Amino acid sequence: MTVPKEMPEKWARAGAPPSWSRKKPSWATEEERRARANDREYNERFQYASNCIKTSKYNILTFLPVNLFEQFQEVANTYFLFLLILQLIPQISSLSWFTTIVPLVLVLTITAVKDATDDYFRHKSDNQVNNRQSQVLINGILQQEQWMNVCVGDIIKLENNQFVAADLLLLSSSEPHGLCYIETAELDGETNMKVRQAIPVTSELGDISKLAKFDGEVICEPPNNKLDKFSGTLYWKENKFPLSNQNMLLRGCVLRNTEWCFGLVIFAGPDTKLMQNSGRTKFKRTSIDRLMNTLVLWIFGFLVCMGVILAIGNAIWEHEVGTRFQVYLPWDEAVDSAFFSGFLSFWSYIIILNTVVPISLYVSVEVIRLGHSYFINWDKKMFCMKKRTPAEARTTTLNEELGQVEYIFSDKTGTLTQNIMVFNKCSINGRSYGDVFDVLGHKAELGERPEPVNFSFNPLADKKFLFWDPTLLEAVKMGDPHTHEFFRLLSLCHTVMSEEKNEGELYYKAQSPDEGALVTAARNFGFVFRSRTPKTITVHEMGTAITYQLLAILDFNNIRKRMSVIVRNPEGKIRLYCKGADTILLDRLHHSTQELLNTTTDHLNEYAGEGLRTLVLAYKDLDEEYYEEWAERRLQASLAQDSREDRLASVYEEVESDMLLLGATAIEDKLQQGVPETIALLTLANIKIWVLTGDKQETAVNIGYSCKMLTDDMTEVFIVTGHTVLEVREELRKAREKMMDSSRTVGNGFTYQEKLSSSKLTSVLEAVAGEYALVINGHSLAHALEADMELEFLETACACKAVICCRVTPLQKAQVVELVKKYKKAVTLAIGDGANDVSMIKTAHIGVGISGQEGIQAVLASDYSFSQFKFLQRLLLVHGRWSYLRMCKFLCYFFYKNFAFTMVHFWFGFFCGFSAQTVYDQYFITLYNIVYTSLPVLAMGVFDQDVPEQRSMEYPKLYEPGQLNLLFNKREFFICIAQGIYTSVLMFFIPYGAFAEATRDDGTQLADYQSFAVTVATSLVIVVSVQIGLDTGYWTAINHFFIWGSLAVYFAILFAMHSNGLFDMFPNQFRFVGNAQNTLAQPTVWLTIVLTTVVCIMPVVAFRFLRLNLKPDLSDTVRYTQLVRKKQKAQHRCMRRVGRTGSRRSGYAFSHQEGFGELIMSGKNMRLSSLALSGFTTRSSSSWIESLRRKKSDSASSPSGGADKPLKG
């Protein structure tokens, strides 16, 4: 079904809905949903989806054809199928069909088994859900029905702890006023209970006989995926009643603390909001994937070129030489000319040379990625003991991209901070509370503070709540009216649910930690929120129970950024209480509060400067007549046929004006453990961190300093707060000018204006001297992201070491990430913990979800997840760097070994009349990639390391080669290809030359075709095995077993294929009995193999030796220093054994060797340590990475010419 995405929808005109109106079937565009209670015949006319869900893709009949169709949509599989078809044509195939079909079938089978297993579990899950039982009201009787048989318009009875079967309109419940409680963990991950309420007109329909007569009709929005919104109207008894999300029970929720309830099915099966949200996430590909696709196309072009060369050679040879041997070597019947012989030879060589791109490459890549994903999942150092939460790789396709990240976009609340809120300070009527002063009037620090405030006067106080300023409690006890009104507002203006398990033991269920902290603070200061109904709130004020009539809740959303309640107190006085963001609320205050506003603003700035989250509180008295008029306008807006939300917002805006200021609250959200150290390490790895937060500027800046993003050593922190396009452009221009002015002395003779107009502006700006940071507000960012200014903003921001965007919306977060993706040659990573971070996480190349206090929506949308921000350093610097290193080494070796293997056929073509005869035995060709050389390269790709994990964390500069894409690019690819071609030349011509005059021990000629094939094949397997031994940096038992085991398997299969036993069973297939034994018994053959191996390998050894001594990498230096340390430790132990005669206790529990505590704790010291380390490598080496970085930035085009992220190479 196609679902319109624009909201709100167009509703039917006022009055009772015409039952005769015709409706398009659900497969067409659905503009509105109509559902009539207890009338299946009417509802079936609209052909709505049934409640049966199907997430599986196949059944027994369709699995084979559909799965094969899907697999052959992969270009590689189609290519190898095409080769197989060619091999079935006898005129052009010199290889048996099984050389291609065996690996192809193996790959297809492995993939099919994986797909079938996944689909089996999907079938199992679908059947389990579809066969759940539900009580449905049919013909006035409650009957047990399977979920799959529930239809739109049915009335369902739910009982406590049952799952909701479909999206229901709540009609009635066992609780007073039609209330019910639900848990939405399966929808949004939030485990706190939420309340839903039936509309008053249906809340009395608790009797089955009344429900059986209910014939109301609902007209509402069509199916969509918006979990927090619903707009509809109930038409019943010639009246209409507005419906909202508060009246809905969504599929996937669980009924809690409610004995029973009845609901009317509005959306069923795939139309439910749960299923609408289960759409597939956009498939992400790595830069290596994209590069591989390009390289495979190049290789295919190279293959065609080789085929053309050999085909031309065949045509010439047949014309000039072959015609003389027609008697002995006649052409096939279909061949009538040398040209046609060359044409057939072209296809023959395409078949023979196709192993330059083996199908096993793609399978091996997936196996390696799967292994890397398991390493992340199994990492105990990323396991959170407190939450019992492991790290999880939710995708297997992005592991190596973790080693190439240049930009991190992070949420603040719950990601950098704990999202555990503590009421810290407040401002009431111009006086600030929360600080403690000593006898001299100086502010006391935390360690110097006296005992916390004693709340023993209040038997309902929360014993975990701590507050340090006793003057606030004194003001409450003294009966200060402003203080009382302040806490009264906090106890009334919220959506918290209260649960009292035992007398006096209150448990609050809050939708956000902020709300919970504020209500708990009011509770401890004597204003205890006790209970609520849909129309009342009961508060114990200083021990006295007072019940307020709840007239209206004007709820919070990301646009309003405030929440209000309208209540009537027992004296009949109506008052509006409002709390919200200062940027919103301060503009809605009465002008008479100006003096108080100035004082409170100073307090707000002070609180924000300390990193506290602030809210402003205000109230407004309403007279009865005005409220009645306003309530009528609100009712009309809620019944509006279109633009319902806009009309309600306008009505809310009207009443939330000219309010009187009460004060402000300040809540502390502490940093997570390890955040400063993590950010310092990632910064040293040349990763730029941008914080995108909804908090106010001062709070975000203070957190920036706390987590070491911003430091006092920075040259300047630019703050952009312009309200207009011109102001923002001017502030960005001044920031760029200051950066350029500070670098004028190191400029290359250009003036600033020349640089500004240069096409390499970004490169120039990023090369400026000094460290800068940029802080920009949400309203300024809105202008900066406009099409004509986004490049100026990007150029300025990318030149800064740190960027903080404040007061941003979820959409702006995604826009900032998209901007960097669009114009920069960089891998982006977004990390967050809440639903407001989902768009950012999905937009970035890599999305990371924090399983924190705000549910699991961010985790569900992410590629990787864990519970604490500090694990990000290990994910990138250890797992990411290793994954990138392993994948690059795997690809380099894979292309090398296959070119060395395949190109021998090319050289042989010049000596066999271009007849497409193969050098190797056809069984060797089949088994080379799937048996002889597959496991050693897989072991290297899964287990290899250049330095241990501790060194990866200690030396973050090791991360930079991945950012610069140094280990596998087009240059490295051509080097591998050149080495492979060089090896193939020696592999062919050394045995060819040696065999030309060689004889056996008995004096007979050694040079026969099969002996030559065995010699070349054996040389090849030994050479590539030695080469992977040189490439392996970290040896495990598995590496040894696979490398030497593969060699042993090669010789075992070789001797078996030339044995009498196989000849006796298959005389037509294994005709060369004893050839391997006879050939390998000759000393000349072994001398040839040794010579070939030495000549192939020695240049590689020599080159690596010279590079290690003349121009070592940073990883080489780290390995060297590690070896030196081991030797020093060994010498130290020997000296202690010899010279120690006495004993002295040490105050330390570990060795006195200099550690890295200061390196990690201090950003400045870390920077110096890394510089000192790079100085280890000799002067030429220390500038190596930097010169490449400058070269990369110089070659990068200006952002104005950018598109999607291009390949690095």
Side-chain angles (χ1 to χ4, degrees), residues 630-802:
W630 179 86
E632 180 60 29
R633 289 198 298 276
R634 176 172 177 255
L635 177 62
Q636 293 302 319
S638 66
L639 290 170
Q641 297 176 15
D642 58 345
S643 303
R644 178 181 297 186
E645 292 177 10
D646 294 338
R647 296 189 185 202
L648 281 173
S650 177
V651 174
Y652 292 168
E653 186 89 16
E654 174 194 333
V655 75
E656 293 172 328
S657 60
D658 293 333
M659 294 181 287
L660 299 177
L661 181 62
L662 257 180
T665 63
I667 294 175
E668 182 180 13
D669 184 12
K670 293 183 179 180
L671 278 179
Q672 289 184 21
Q673 182 184 1
V675 167
E677 296 86 349
T678 299
I679 288 179
L681 268 178
L682 295 176
T683 303
L684 283 175
N686 203 49
I687 297 174
K688 295 183 178 180
I689 301 176
W690 295 22
V691 172
L692 312 177
T693 177
D695 276 344
K696 63 183 300 182
Q697 177 185 307
E698 294 81 2
T699 304
V701 168
N702 186 272
I703 292 293
Y705 278 104
S706 300
C707 64
K708 300 293 190 293
M709 270 187 67
L710 308 178
T711 65
D712 294 329
D713 297 334
M714 283 186 162
T715 310
E716 188 166 352
V717 177
F718 302 113
I719 297 179
V720 179
T721 58
H723 285 78
T724 66
V725 174
L726 293 177
E727 289 176 358
V728 174
R729 178 173 276 121
E730 181 64 18
E731 289 176 4
L732 292 174
R733 185 187 64 80
K734 286 181 178 178
R736 290 197 301 275
E737 281 187 355
K738 286 184 179 179
M739 285 190 280
M740 295 304 299
D741 287 343
S742 66
S743 303
R744 197 182 295 273
T745 55
V746 294
N748 298 323
F750 293 98
T751 65
Y752 171 73
Q753 291 300 329
E754 287 171 328
K755 289 180 180 178
L756 193 65
S757 60
S758 169
S759 63
K760 297 181 180 178
L761 176 59
T762 306
S763 305
V764 173
L765 279 175
E766 290 186 7
V768 297
E771 293 182 346
Y772 299 89
L774 178 70
V775 180
I776 184 168
N777 262 323
H779 51 76
S780 303
L781 184 63
H783 297 305
L785 291 175
E786 292 179 3
D788 60 340
M789 205 194 303
E790 61 181 14
L791 292 179
E792 295 178 49
F793 166 65
L794 183 66
E795 290 158 0
T796 310
C798 289
C800 296
K801 182 181 175 183

Side-chain angles (χ1 to χ4, degrees), residues 945-1116:
Q945 303 173 15
D946 55 346
V947 298
E949 59 182 72
Q950 303 95 316
R951 302 293 175 255
S952 294
M953 303 282 278
E954 288 169 11
Y955 305 122
K957 284 288 182 185
L958 289 168
Y959 191 79
E960 288 197 359
Q963 296 170 323
L964 297 168
N965 212 6
L966 296 179
L967 302 185
F968 186 73
N969 49 44
K970 293 169 186 172
R971 177 178 173 273
E972 291 296 321
F973 170 73
F974 285 121
I975 290 174
C976 298
I977 298 309
Q979 184 187 355
I981 293 174
Y982 165 78
T983 301
S984 71
V985 169
L986 298 177
M987 200 77 63
F988 175 78
F989 285 102
I990 290 179
Y992 183 82
F995 275 42
E997 304 294 335
T999 58
R1000 300 180 186 271
D1001 292 340
D1002 59 2
T1004 58
Q1005 184 69 25
L1006 179 61
D1008 64 76
Y1009 170 70
Q1010 278 299 315
S1011 298
F1012 181 76
V1014 168
T1015 304
V1016 174
T1018 305
S1019 301
L1020 174 65
V1021 172
I1022 292 175
V1023 167
V1024 297
S1025 297
V1026 172
Q1027 180 65 47
I1028 199 168
L1030 293 174
D1031 288 346
T1032 301
Y1034 181 74
W1035 285 85
T1036 66
I1038 296 175
N1039 293 83
H1040 282 289
F1041 179 74
F1042 282 174
I1043 291 176
W1044 314 127
S1046 295
L1047 271 174
V1049 167
Y1050 164 72
F1051 283 109
I1053 293 176
L1054 178 66
F1055 289 128
M1057 286 195 303
H1058 294 83
S1059 66
N1060 287 318
L1062 279 182
F1063 173 75
D1064 292 338
M1065 288 186 287
F1066 308 102
N1068 293 328
Q1069 296 294 325
F1070 301 96
R1071 294 186 293 270
F1072 302 99
V1073 181
N1075 178 70
Q1077 293 87 333
N1078 292 337
T1079 301
L1080 295 179
Q1082 304 300 318
T1084 305
V1085 172
W1086 281 109
L1087 286 173
T1088 303
I1089 292 173
V1090 170
L1091 177 64
T1092 304
T1093 303
V1094 170
V1095 176
C1096 288
I1097 296 300
M1098 279 308 296
V1100 178
V1101 175
F1103 173 77
R1104 294 187 182 182
F1105 176 80
L1106 292 173
R1107 191 191 67 180
L1108 193 64
N1109 283 274
L1110 300 178
K1111 202 173 183 181
D1113 295 340
L1114 186 56
S1115 59
D1116 298 327

Side-chain angles (χ1 to χ4, degrees), residues 272-340:
T272 59
K273 291 184 184 284
L274 175 67
M275 298 304 295
Q276 291 280 313
N277 273 280
S278 62
R280 293 191 177 184
T281 307
K282 178 184 175 184
F283 182 68
K284 298 180 179 180
R285 299 188 70 87
T286 67
S287 57
I288 285 183
D289 279 332
R290 292 188 288 271
L291 178 59
M292 271 178 55
N293 290 340
T294 302
L295 297 180
V296 167
L297 289 176
W298 287 5
I299 292 173
F300 182 72
F302 180 66
L303 172 63
V304 171
C305 291
M306 288 193 295
V308 169
I309 292 170
L310 294 170
I312 293 173
N314 177 268
I316 294 173
W317 190 90
E318 289 289 355
H319 183 267
E320 298 294 333
V321 182
T323 51
R324 303 174 189 172
F325 299 95
Q326 287 292 313
V327 176
Y328 308 103
L329 294 173
W331 286 340
D332 291 336
E333 294 181 4
V335 179
D336 56 2
S337 67
F339 174 80
F340 190 64

Side-chain angles (χ1 to χ4, degrees), residues 15-88:
S19 59
W20 44 264
S21 62
R22 295 183 61 83
K23 184 77 171 67
K24 293 181 181 179
S26 61
W27 46 261
T29 301
E30 186 175 346
E31 295 182 358
E32 63 184 19
R33 170 62 58 103
R34 290 170 175 261
R36 184 180 294 172
N38 295 314
D39 193 344
R40 282 194 172 186
E41 184 180 350
Y42 172 80
N43 297 319
E44 285 172 358
R45 289 170 24 191
F46 303 128
Q47 302 179 28
Y48 293 136
S50 71
N51 203 39
C52 178
I53 63 164
K54 181 185 176 186
T55 59
S56 57
K57 295 165 61 177
Y58 317 107
N59 59 40
I60 294 177
L61 295 178
T62 62
F63 172 73
L64 196 59
V66 173
N67 187 260
L68 287 176
F69 175 75
E70 289 177 345
Q71 291 201 57
F72 282 116
Q73 286 182 316
E74 292 284 338
V75 176
N77 291 343
T78 306
Y79 168 64
F80 286 104
L81 179 64
F82 171 69
L83 289 177
L84 176 61
I85 294 171
L86 289 180
Q87 282 182 279
L88 297 175

Side-chain angles (χ1 to χ4, degrees), residues 502-612:
N502 299 311
E503 181 65 28
E505 291 185 17
L506 289 175
Y507 296 91
Y508 289 151
K509 298 285 188 179
Q511 292 193 32
S512 72
D514 302 69
E515 263 199 340
L518 294 175
V519 176
T520 301
R523 167 185 175 178
N524 276 58
F525 281 100
F527 288 75
V528 185
F529 162 63
R530 199 65 184 265
S531 63
R532 76 187 316 141
T533 71
K535 297 298 181 184
T536 64
I537 298 178
T538 301
V539 178
H540 281 220
E541 297 184 0
M542 303 305 290
T544 304
I546 300 177
T547 299
Y548 292 85
Q549 184 182 353
L550 181 60
L551 302 177
I553 295 179
L554 286 57
D555 212 350
F556 174 91
N557 63 40
N558 282 327
I559 299 173
R560 284 169 39 77
K561 294 186 179 179
R562 62 189 183 276
M563 176 199 175
S564 300
V565 295
I566 301 176
V567 296
R568 179 184 278 118
N569 65 14
E571 290 79 33
K573 191 175 182 180
I574 299 176
R575 178 166 285 184
L576 175 142
Y577 290 111
C578 183
K579 66 180 182 186
D582 54 349
T583 53
I584 301 294
L585 223 61
L586 295 182
D587 294 334
R588 288 165 173 76
L589 297 178
H590 194 273
H591 59 81
S592 63
T593 62
Q594 188 60 47
E595 184 176 347
L596 177 58
L597 172 61
N598 295 335
T599 306
T600 305
T601 302
D602 293 338
H603 291 159
L604 286 169
N605 292 334
E606 177 189 335
Y607 300 156
E610 297 174 16
L612 304 177

